[in-house]
Structures are given as C-alpha cells and as structure tokens.
Amino acid sequence: MILDAALVVLAVAAVVATVRVVVGPTDADRVLAVDLGFVVLLAALALLALRLGAPALLDLVLVGTLVGFLATVALARLAARRSG
Amino acid sequence: MTASMTGGALGVVGQLLVVLGVALVAVGALGLVRLPDAYLRANAVTKAAALGLVLVLVGAAVLAPGLDAVVVLLVAAALQLFTVPVAGYAVGGAAWRARAPMDPRTQREEGTDPTDDPEDPDGGCTEGTGP
C-alpha cells in the first residue's frame, strides 16, 4: 500500500522532470532534469524489486547509479561546450 | 503485501525511510519546476538525488528479504553518496560556463556575473568542467 503510493509519487516526479527537459530553457536545466529522471527511475526500480519480489531488479539499481553519474557528467561537459 | 515485506518494527522503519526518501525526491521535483534559474534548480535536484534516493535505497535494504539484496542496495547507496556531489558540481560549472542567466534577485559581488565579460571564455571560473 505504502509502496504503491510511493510509486505514484515517483511517477508524478518523472512527469515533472520530462516537462523540464522539454521547456529548458538552458541545456544545464535539461541535464538536471535528466539527472532527476535517473533518480526517479532508480528509486522506482528499488521499490518495484520489493513490490514484485524480484531481486534481479536490484542489480539494475546498482548499475543504474553508475550509468546515471557518468551520463550526468558527460551531458554537463556537452552543455558547457555548447555555450547556449 | 508481498512475502518480501518484513513485519513488525523493522518493517515500519523501512517504510518510514522509503516514504521520507520519496518525499525528498518529490520536493526535488517541485524545486525543478518552481525555482527560477539553473543554479537554484541544481541545488534542489542534487539534494533529491543524494538524500532522497539514499533514503529510499536504505529503506529498501531494511525491507529486503535476503542478505545479498541488502548488500547490493547498500553499495548502491554508498556509490550514490559519493557520485552525486561530483555530478552536481559538474552541472553547476557547466551552467556557469554556458552563461546560464541568474535570477535577477540574486545578490552577488561585482564582476561575478556569468554574462559580464564576453572575452573570458570561462566567465571567471578557474576550475570545474570544461573542454
């Protein structure tokens, strides 16, 4: 029950992050929105692993933290280079 | 509830941590929409990513059934704590170098406006991410 409510809140947060990716206005804002999208995805994966009783999803969380970090740093360098 | 849910006091603690973490992520999302410029939004998102996600992961570790699941979740939480500040710093430096405008209400010292000096490619930034 609580996990379901938490997943709904995370879904709303994902929608919000998508809105910020679309409206910008700067590339840095979009990078931040993608970062928050990753956070929401990882939290949802951890909760789904509990909710569905699927521990395989936890490995996805572990890999996702690293991929999210690398993606954010790479996108930040890209946004800095584009100067826009 | 699924069989993986721990009953008793431990279950309550785990659910409390998860709810607290999700609430922090929600506040971060609120900040991402409502705050006026990229630097303030970076503040909100970084807190959500560090504290919110780590609380969710620790709460999930408390609720998780097996030892290997607990280990994986705690390692993920530790990695998140180490990497989020670096990523946040990189994004902040990128926003500065890209001359992202600050909110007009921002109070700053003379010569620290990212849009001040068109000749300085780094906008007064001596370190951080750059090509």
Side-chain angles (χ1 to χ4, degrees):
Chain A
M1 185 60 206
I2 289 180
L3 292 187
D4 294 347
L7 283 169
V8 171
V9 173
L10 287 177
V12 175
V15 171
V16 162
T18 310
V19 168
R20 184 51 80 185
V21 170
V22 172
V23 303
T26 68
D27 283 346
D29 292 308
R30 296 191 172 92
V31 177
L32 287 170
V34 170
D35 196 19
L36 189 77
F38 252 104
V39 167
V40 168
L41 180 75
L42 295 173
L45 278 175
L47 296 185
L48 276 177
L50 293 177
R51 182 77 180 78
L52 305 176
L57 290 178
L58 295 178
D59 296 338
L60 220 51
V61 173
L62 184 56
V63 175
T65 54
L66 294 176
V67 173
F69 167 65
L70 292 177
T72 306
V73 172
L75 285 174
R77 293 184 76 102
L78 208 60
R81 199 170 304 186
R82 227 172 74 163
S83 284
Chain B
M1 275 305 157
T2 57
S4 66
M5 295 293 290
T6 320
L10 211 56
V12 173
V13 170
Q15 291 181 354
L16 202 65
L17 286 172
V18 167
V19 167
L20 216 57
V22 170
L24 267 173
V25 173
V27 170
L30 185 68
L32 190 67
V33 185
R34 295 286 298 158
L35 288 174
D37 68 23
Y39 308 98
L40 298 175
R41 289 178 200 131
N43 174 28
V45 169
T46 313
K47 266 78 199 176
L51 299 176
L53 185 53
V54 166
L55 279 179
V56 171
L57 293 180
V58 172
V62 172
L63 293 175
L67 182 65
D68 44 353
V70 173
V71 170
V72 168
L73 279 170
L74 289 184
V75 168
L79 282 174
Q80 188 71 10
L81 270 181
F82 276 109
T83 54
V84 162
V86 180
Y89 182 74
V91 176
W96 182 267
R97 281 165 188 274
R99 303 180 190 287
M102 284 188 181
D103 184 71
R105 283 164 293 181
T106 309
Q107 297 184 4
R108 37 173 197 258
E109 296 173 29
E110 280 301 311
T112 56
D113 189 325
T115 56
D116 260 354
D117 184 5
E119 294 301 316
D120 181 5
D122 290 345
C125 186
T126 53
E127 49 185 341
T129 58

